[in-house]
Amino acid sequence: VLKCIECLNGFRFSSATITRVLEEFPMIITMNEEQFWAKIEFLLGIGIPRGRIDSVIQIHPGILGFGVKNRLKPLISEFTDLGFKPNEIRDEIVRNPKVLQSEVGELSKCLRMLNSLKCRAPIKERIFSDGAFRASYEVKLRIDLLHKHGLLYRDAFSVLWRESRVILYDLDEIDKKIEFLINIMKFDILCLVEVPEYLGVHFEKQIVPRYNVIEYLRSKGGIGDEVGLRSLVKFSRLRFYNFYVKPYPECEKIYGRFVDVKVRHGHPEGLWKLFKPPRYSDSEEDLKNIKSFMEQVR
């Protein structure tokens, strides 16, 4: 351990970085100075300034455990083959060194999925607002989260492709929704494959109040058929209110401030006046024709 600390001090790492390396990657004590230097040379070779290497290692000490030839260089080659420029790759690694934790081929799949999205243009613009590299990595993080909860990678990609708004949500928010789905609502994680919209709706405003209403009605025996996740999520606000809240006055308190449902008309009030045909003044000839016609009718 003392030799390892001396070696790290020789590379001018801060005491905070050395402590974090020993805590997060204790196998470092089995490495020699040449193995250390190979990782430092690699980081310098991709353009990371010497003064920033300390912070990169402190954020992600696991980099010291990756092989240069069989892991790090193939990963950088993949980024380059995808069309990313060296300075773009360098900046993303400095911003978030955990990018180097990706497996070879992961970001390629994520970028292909992003390029095939058929969502609304504003959503796609927000997804790519910080560049394709960061967008691809954000997809990877969400794929990993869904896989951690039990979805196959194929199903996780399907969920994100069909409900692309999830890419814009924080990981903590997505995790909270999944935990609620599995532990509280008692649905299987595979329900997300059938109803990916669940991850796209608001947790506090839609998921929780609707679930509370259904649970109350179920406890009172007010529901004959089992309410599935599709009905719980995909019903419009008005339809859910008419089905489950309006017939039961006590549910209005449970539904809370979300009970104020108004029917939207096809056109704003007063717009019908714009569709009224204009009135033209009658000429003398028109008046004569009208009088002669009325006399014949008499």
Side-chain angles (χ1 to χ4, degrees), residues 3-277:
K3 287 183 178 180
C4 178
I5 293 175
E6 289 176 359
C7 183
L8 293 173
N9 280 324
F11 286 110
R12 295 193 298 238
F13 286 145
S14 65
S15 57
T17 299
I18 295 174
T19 301
R20 181 162 173 78
V21 167
L22 292 173
E23 290 177 347
E24 298 293 327
F25 184 57
M27 289 300 295
I28 194 173
I29 61 175
T30 64
M31 297 171 59
N32 55 42
E33 187 172 348
E34 291 182 0
Q35 292 172 311
F36 284 138
W37 181 244
K39 311 302 190 305
I40 304 301
E41 269 190 330
F42 167 78
L43 295 175
L44 292 171
I46 62 176
I48 298 179
R50 182 66 182 85
R52 300 300 301 270
I53 291 180
D54 183 85
S55 61
V56 169
I57 298 298
Q58 184 175 353
I59 295 173
H60 187 35
I63 294 175
L64 296 174
F66 295 154
V68 175
K69 292 183 179 180
N70 60 0
R71 176 68 180 272
L72 295 176
K73 286 186 177 179
L75 193 62
I76 298 300
S77 297
E78 179 193 0
F79 297 160
T80 304
D81 293 340
L82 290 175
F84 300 124
K85 298 178 180 179
N87 61 334
E88 187 178 4
I89 298 172
R90 178 201 62 211
D91 293 343
E92 288 299 321
I93 292 175
V94 171
R95 187 189 69 86
N96 184 8
K98 291 186 177 181
V99 169
L100 294 175
Q101 198 171 357
S102 305
E103 296 288 343
V104 176
E106 280 188 316
L107 254 64
S108 299
K109 295 178 181 177
C110 295
L111 185 59
R112 283 198 299 270
M113 191 273 285
L114 285 172
N115 290 331
S116 68
L117 286 179
K118 296 181 180 179
C119 59
R120 291 186 290 119
I123 295 177
K124 199 165 187 176
E125 288 177 3
R126 287 181 59 191
I127 291 173
F128 284 98
S129 60
D130 293 321
F133 192 105
R134 193 174 304 180
S136 301
Y137 185 69
E138 292 297 328
V139 169
K140 172 203 154 21
L141 293 179
R142 282 144 187 80
I143 293 294
D144 290 343
L145 177 61
L146 292 172
H147 179 69
K148 183 189 76 173
H149 283 285
L151 281 183
L152 298 174
Y153 283 112
R154 177 189 60 191
D155 293 334
F157 273 105
S158 174
V159 169
L160 285 189
W161 189 83
R162 293 168 58 194
E163 186 53 66
S164 52
R165 291 178 295 177
V166 181
I167 303 172
L168 300 172
Y169 297 157
D170 292 336
L171 292 173
D172 292 339
E173 183 179 354
I174 300 170
D175 193 54
K176 180 171 66 174
K177 289 180 179 179
I178 296 176
E179 292 288 345
F180 191 83
L181 176 75
I182 298 173
N183 299 327
I184 306 299
M185 300 174 70
K186 304 301 180 183
F187 283 105
D188 191 89
I189 187 66
L190 291 176
C191 290
L192 291 178
V193 181
E194 300 177 1
V195 192
E197 294 84 359
Y198 170 82
L199 295 177
V201 298
H202 200 285
F203 182 73
E204 300 292 343
K205 293 182 179 180
Q206 184 163 335
I207 296 175
V208 174
R210 291 190 180 192
Y211 171 74
N212 290 338
V213 169
I214 296 300
E215 277 299 294
Y216 174 80
L217 296 177
R218 185 180 288 122
S219 66
K220 297 296 182 180
I223 299 180
D225 299 328
E226 188 65 25
V227 179
L229 186 63
R230 184 177 298 275
S231 300
L232 195 64
V233 172
K234 300 191 74 171
F235 272 19
S236 66
R237 192 178 176 194
L238 178 61
R239 189 178 182 188
F240 184 86
Y241 173 78
N242 289 335
F243 263 82
Y244 301 112
V245 180
K246 190 175 181 179
Y248 311 97
E250 64 272 22
C251 288
E252 295 191 358
K253 295 181 180 179
I254 301 174
Y255 208 48
R257 63 188 180 89
F258 309 108
V259 76
D260 184 20
V261 179
K262 296 180 179 180
V263 179
R264 293 184 178 181
H265 298 283
H267 302 289
E269 296 180 3
L271 192 60
W272 61 272
K273 295 180 180 179
L274 299 178
F275 298 115
K276 190 175 181 180

